Amino acid sequence: MNAMVETDVLIIGAGPAGAAAALLLSRYGVKTLLVNKYPGSSPGPRAHIVNQRTMEILRELGLEDTAKAIATPQPLLGDHVYATSLTGEELGRIKAWGSSPEALAAHAAASPCAMCDLPQLYFEPMVLQAASLAGAQIRFQTEYVSHRQESEAVVSVLKDRLTGAEFQVRSAYLLGADGARSQVAQDIGLAYEGELGLTAAGSLNVEFTADLSPWVAHRPGDMYWFVQPGLGIRGQGIGSLRMIRPWHKWVAVWGYDLAKGPPPMDEGEATRMVHRLLGDDSIPVTIDAWSNWTINRRYAHQLSHERVFCLGDAVHCHSPMAGLGLNTSVQDAYNLSWKLAWVLQGKAAPRLLASYDKERAPVAKQIVEYAYDCGRYIADMFRSLGLSANPSPEQMARSLAQLKEPTSAGAALRAAWREAVDSTLAGFGGAHGVEMNQRYVSNAVFAEDDDGEPKAPSEFHHEASTRPGAPLPHVWLTRHQHRVSTLDVCGKGRFTLLTGLSGQAWASVASAAADKLGIDLDVHVIGPGQSLEDSYGDFARMSGVAENGALLIRPDRFVAWRARNDNPEQRERLLSVLQSILS
Ligand code: FDA
């Protein structure tokens, strides 16, 4: 075996979780080595929805404009169409991904960023390139084999897949971002709740190229669902199209019976099936690839063991409904990376790292269960038509015909169908609360008695809060007359204290605390005549504290602590709060 390679953090896996961790750690000044067993990043489109929280992280990293330039923007995602085929009769639409007027307003109020559609195929290289520019070492064709933990380090064995040679890496920490079948998670014995591939249905994806703009550009959406007698691999009657690039790159998706195994597939069969979805076999189609996947419902209660931390699909695997996979993986990395940096740089004790499990394990559970629940809404559409999961073509044809009957039975069926179609919104952008409302309870958050108990927020609607453990709410401030978000003035690896004009005494208290602890602590006094002004009055309305109170914001822009006002007792507490959080 060759000489030992040394680094601060070794990351296994260059998917969204590992790539984001490599970028964040490198930006924080941590020496990072990222390895991936394959020759390159994801060749398939995979996850595609990038929600507002992830866009906020990209904004902090200076990648928001890059992402927007290569993504499909929100206004082109909203028409989620249900029809008999792409060229056939429409059966209804939902206003997906925040496209209703109410949801658009809620999105605009919740964040300075808009969600977008950026398939993993494009997302990963964007983040990897930025990580590389920030100094991360990235090595493809390199496979994690095993590790052993020592008192001050982890020694991992990696294999160069080009030569077959094994070598060792000594790092202070090891991150397992190696996906659903994580070897790292297995090696630290993480226990899971739930399982992979748990339903009877598998799914088949066929990637293809076809200019479908004549049928979609006037009703732009990320997905088109088809209910058609006999459609699908064994005639289940349902299939869908997912847009990868408007309007020429697509994935067609069908379910199949897992017990019977994936259907035999070749280019001719794939083309025939795509044409069934399109409802017109004269449309030119080029088949690019096909693959199978299954619905998962699995999460870990514990995410780490000593110096090894797992993130992303390694600790939460779920259905693609609600588009939470890539997002949660990046957000895991955002939670963990600043803590690792602070510990490695001697600004916090290792106990801070225990908060990673406490904060992210409940999120893992929530998103897995939420995404799984969304699956039932598709089954409910069938039920609303009086159909079983595998209806005969004749039954389905009868139900679809009845949808158009001007009778009371037809009206009842239409009402049931409408209700079922509306409920599918939960899986296509209706989870704004799940995306935005994390509430952390841990040793890295300091709640006071008068903060009360944390309340479970809505899954569907964004709820702003400055209770410690909540994400700092976004409001617009101004700097030299230009709008700047509260999120823009926090983060970037530093703690920040926000206060109003009469809270100026906090500046010297914060500076003394920062000096004593040897940390960076930015203070922003927000008000007239200051470099940041509360021009709209929204900061005062949102802050939840008096003008002379303060919000202490963590490097990941979660509220660490809040002081309702600036009485001397409260001010003295700042130091002890920071000491408690940084252990
Ligand atoms: P990810 O699986 O992306 O990355 C793991 C990395 O680890 C890979 O780079 C792999 O090569 C590497 N690796 C594994 N073992 C290794 C080893 N021993 N040594 C070195 N490297 C190793 N989600 C969603 O929200 N919407 C969607 O539509 C879809 N669609 C979808 C389709 C398909 C076909 C799949 C497989 C998955 C999805 N997903 C999805 C899920 C989404 O892709 C997933 O949640 C994220 O990719 C998770 O990111 P991670 O970085 O955690 O794992």
Side-chain angles (χ1 to χ4, degrees):
M1 205 166 304
N2 292 329
M4 186 84 76
V5 175
E6 305 268 348
T7 191
D8 288 337
V9 180
L10 171 63
I11 304 171
I12 311 299
L23 171 54
L24 286 155
L25 286 164
S26 303
R27 286 284 180 85
Y28 299 150
V30 173
K31 201 172 158 195
T32 304
L33 171 61
L34 172 70
V35 301
N36 183 16
K37 72 176 170 185
Y38 295 115
S41 52
S42 172
R46 298 179 65 177
H48 54 119
I49 294 298
V50 181
N51 69 30
Q52 288 181 293
R53 282 276 177 255
T54 304
M55 287 302 285
E56 288 167 1
I57 296 170
L58 296 181
R59 181 181 174 97
E60 176 181 324
L61 291 165
L63 288 178
E64 185 190 17
D65 288 341
T66 312
K68 278 160 68 176
I70 56 174
T72 304
Q74 189 176 17
L76 296 187
L77 304 178
D79 268 341
H80 217 78
V81 171
Y82 296 91
T84 55
S85 71
L86 191 67
T87 55
E89 282 177 37
E90 263 199 34
L91 303 170
R93 301 182 189 187
I94 53 170
K95 300 185 190 92
W97 305 117
S99 63
S100 72
E102 305 78 21
L104 269 177
H107 275 230
S111 175
C113 304
M115 57 85 58
C116 64
D117 185 298
L118 185 53
Q120 209 163 320
L121 173 70
Y122 309 104
F123 184 93
E124 284 182 16
M126 174 186 76
V127 180
L128 287 170
Q129 185 195 32
S132 175
L133 286 169
Q137 283 195 46
I138 302 176
R139 216 172 184 280
F140 289 98
Q141 301 270 45
T142 305
E143 183 173 2
Y144 163 84
V145 177
S146 64
H147 78 268
R148 66 172 193 276
Q149 298 212 42
E150 297 179 343
S151 58
E152 299 294 311
V154 188
V155 176
S156 304
V157 177
L158 303 182
K159 182 164 117 189
D160 181 329
R161 286 174 46 128
L162 288 174
T163 63
E166 292 193 347
F167 62 100
Q168 297 186 63
V169 177
R170 181 192 298 276
S171 58
Y173 294 97
L174 169 65
L175 305 192
D178 48 343
R181 303 196 182 272
S182 170
Q183 184 65 44
V184 177
Q186 201 174 313
D187 289 350
I188 57 170
L190 291 191
Y192 293 108
E193 187 105 357
E195 53 194 289
L196 302 180
L198 82 171
T199 63
S203 292
L204 172 73
N205 279 6
V206 172
E207 293 166 43
F208 68 97
T209 304
D211 178 10
L212 301 182
S213 40
W215 301 279
V216 295
H218 56 288
R219 46 175 184 171
D222 74 316
M223 283 195 91
Y224 300 80
W225 287 81
F226 307 114
V227 180
Q228 185 191 116
L231 186 73
I233 288 155
R234 292 189 179 88
Q236 292 96 328
I238 191 158
S240 59
L241 281 184
R242 201 190 103 192
M243 179 271 296
I244 306 301
R245 299 266 93 177
W247 305 109
H248 64 285
K249 283 278 180 199
W250 299 89
V251 176
V253 189
W254 301 269
Y256 66 86
D257 186 349
L258 262 187
K260 294 186 181 147
M265 192 54 56
D266 58 26
E267 225 172 284
E269 178 62 5
T271 307
R272 191 188 68 73
M273 292 180 67
V274 169
H275 275 143
R276 274 294 292 271
L277 291 188
L278 303 184
D280 180 348
D281 57 12
S282 70
I283 298 172
V285 163
T286 306
I287 303 295
D288 299 319
W290 55 84
S291 57
N292 306 308
W293 54 282
T294 53
I295 299 288
N296 304 315
R297 182 190 192 179
R298 198 189 70 171
Y299 57 88
H301 291 291
Q302 192 192 329
L303 316 183
S304 64
H305 178 61
E306 296 174 357
R307 291 178 168 272
V308 182
F309 294 80
C310 288
L311 59 162
D313 273 16
V315 287
H316 42 73
C317 266
H318 48 86
S319 133
M321 299 290 271
L324 296 164
L326 176 153
N327 294 292
T328 309
S329 302
V330 171
Q331 291 157 28
D332 288 346
Y334 193 53
N335 180 289
L336 180 59
S337 297
W338 74 267
K339 295 172 184 171
L340 286 171
W342 277 60
V343 170
L344 282 163
Q345 289 158 1
K347 296 185 288 193
R351 201 176 77 87
L352 173 65
L353 298 173
S355 64
Y356 172 66
D357 280 43
K358 293 198 185 101
E359 295 177 353
R360 296 305 294 177
V363 175
K365 177 178 180 188
Q366 183 193 26
I367 59 145
V368 169
E369 295 299 1
Y370 184 89
Y372 180 76
D373 268 3
C374 287
R376 75 187 145 92
Y377 298 120
I378 301 296
D380 284 352
M381 286 197 318
F382 272 53
R383 266 194 287 277
S384 77
L385 293 175
L387 299 171
S388 65
N390 284 307
S392 71
E394 296 73 30
Q395 284 172 324
M396 188 175 255
R398 262 198 310 277
S399 294
L400 291 177
Q402 204 183 355
L403 269 181
K404 291 191 288 186
E405 281 174 10
T407 59
S408 56
L413 196 67
R414 281 188 290 281
W417 169 253
R418 184 71 251 171
E419 192 182 332
V421 164
D422 285 346
S423 70
T424 64
L425 184 64
F428 306 111
H432 202 210
V434 175
E435 293 167 5
M436 305 298 285
N437 293 338
Q438 293 82 19
R439 298 290 186 265
Y440 294 160
V441 179
S442 77
N443 50 310
V445 162
F446 200 102
E448 300 283 4
D449 289 345
D450 61 0
D451 287 318
E453 289 299 308
K455 294 195 190 79
S458 164
E459 289 183 319
F460 306 113
H461 304 290
H462 171 239
E463 288 173 12
S465 167
T466 60
R467 188 187 189 283
L472 171 68
H474 148 74
V475 295
W476 290 115
L477 309 169
T478 54
R479 181 187 275 145
H480 308 306
Q481 301 176 0
H482 291 270
R483 288 206 318 187
V484 53
S485 168
T486 38
L487 305 189
D488 295 332
V489 301
C490 300
K492 302 188 181 71
R494 301 159 77 92
F495 273 81
T496 309
L497 193 115
L498 302 178
T499 186
L501 191 62
S502 53
Q504 302 197 19
W506 284 102
S508 55
V509 178
S511 157
D515 284 351
K516 179 142 194 188
L517 298 173
I519 63 167
D520 297 321
L521 174 52
D522 292 342
V523 178
H524 294 298
V525 176
I526 299 166
Q530 305 297 308
S531 66
L532 284 173
E533 300 198 47
D534 188 17
S535 303
Y536 303 97
D538 286 339
F539 178 73
R541 274 189 286 273
M542 162 283 270
S543 72
V545 300
E547 191 190 78
N548 61 2
L551 299 177
L552 178 65
I553 310 301
R554 304 190 329 186
D556 58 357
R557 298 184 296 206
F558 274 71
V559 180
W561 174 68
R562 65 180 171 185
R564 299 291 182 136
N565 51 52
D566 85 337
N567 66 51
E569 205 181 295
Q570 285 273 40
R571 267 184 269 144
E572 267 171 35
R573 245 168 122 60
L574 177 64
L575 178 62
S576 59
V577 164
L578 281 165
Q579 279 170 327
S580 156
I581 289 171
L582 301 175
S583 310

XYZ file of all heavy atoms in Angstrom, residues 37 63 89 131 216 350 411 477 556:
66
model
N -16.620 6.899 -6.860
C -16.129 5.658 -7.485
C -16.313 5.633 -8.999
O -15.648 4.878 -9.691
C -16.757 4.435 -6.832
C -18.193 4.178 -7.108
C -18.572 2.859 -6.427
C -20.066 2.661 -6.460
N -20.482 1.487 -5.726
N -23.561 31.072 -6.369
C -23.939 30.220 -7.497
C -25.388 30.413 -7.938
O -25.859 29.708 -8.828
C -23.733 28.742 -7.130
C -22.292 28.259 -7.025
C -22.251 26.792 -6.610
C -21.556 28.439 -8.349
N -57.040 14.164 -24.892
C -57.930 15.017 -24.093
C -57.315 15.343 -22.741
O -56.767 14.459 -22.081
C -59.235 14.268 -23.806
C -60.188 14.250 -24.951
C -61.412 13.406 -24.571
O -61.843 13.441 -23.403
O -61.898 12.703 -25.450
N -16.492 23.752 -6.117
C -15.705 23.151 -5.026
C -14.234 23.076 -5.425
O -13.342 23.382 -4.626
C -16.250 21.759 -4.705
N -46.681 21.405 -25.502
C -46.427 21.781 -24.105
C -46.091 23.265 -23.887
O -46.329 23.786 -22.792
C -45.290 20.926 -23.477
C -45.692 19.473 -23.382
C -43.996 21.064 -24.261
N -15.627 19.576 20.028
C -16.273 18.517 19.232
C -17.730 18.259 19.632
O -18.514 17.773 18.826
C -15.394 17.290 19.498
C -14.057 17.863 19.807
C -14.307 19.141 20.541
N -71.566 14.118 -12.936
C -71.181 15.272 -12.095
C -70.487 14.793 -10.824
O -69.485 15.381 -10.383
C -72.416 16.109 -11.763
N -34.148 44.367 3.474
C -33.593 45.574 4.068
C -33.080 46.404 2.897
O -33.156 45.971 1.745
C -32.428 45.225 5.003
C -32.689 44.137 6.053
C -31.383 43.716 6.711
C -33.683 44.632 7.104
N -25.191 28.869 9.602
C -26.136 28.315 8.622
C -27.467 29.071 8.644
O -28.475 28.570 8.136
C -26.364 26.812 8.833
C -26.897 26.489 10.229
O -27.040 27.423 11.043
O -27.180 25.307 10.507
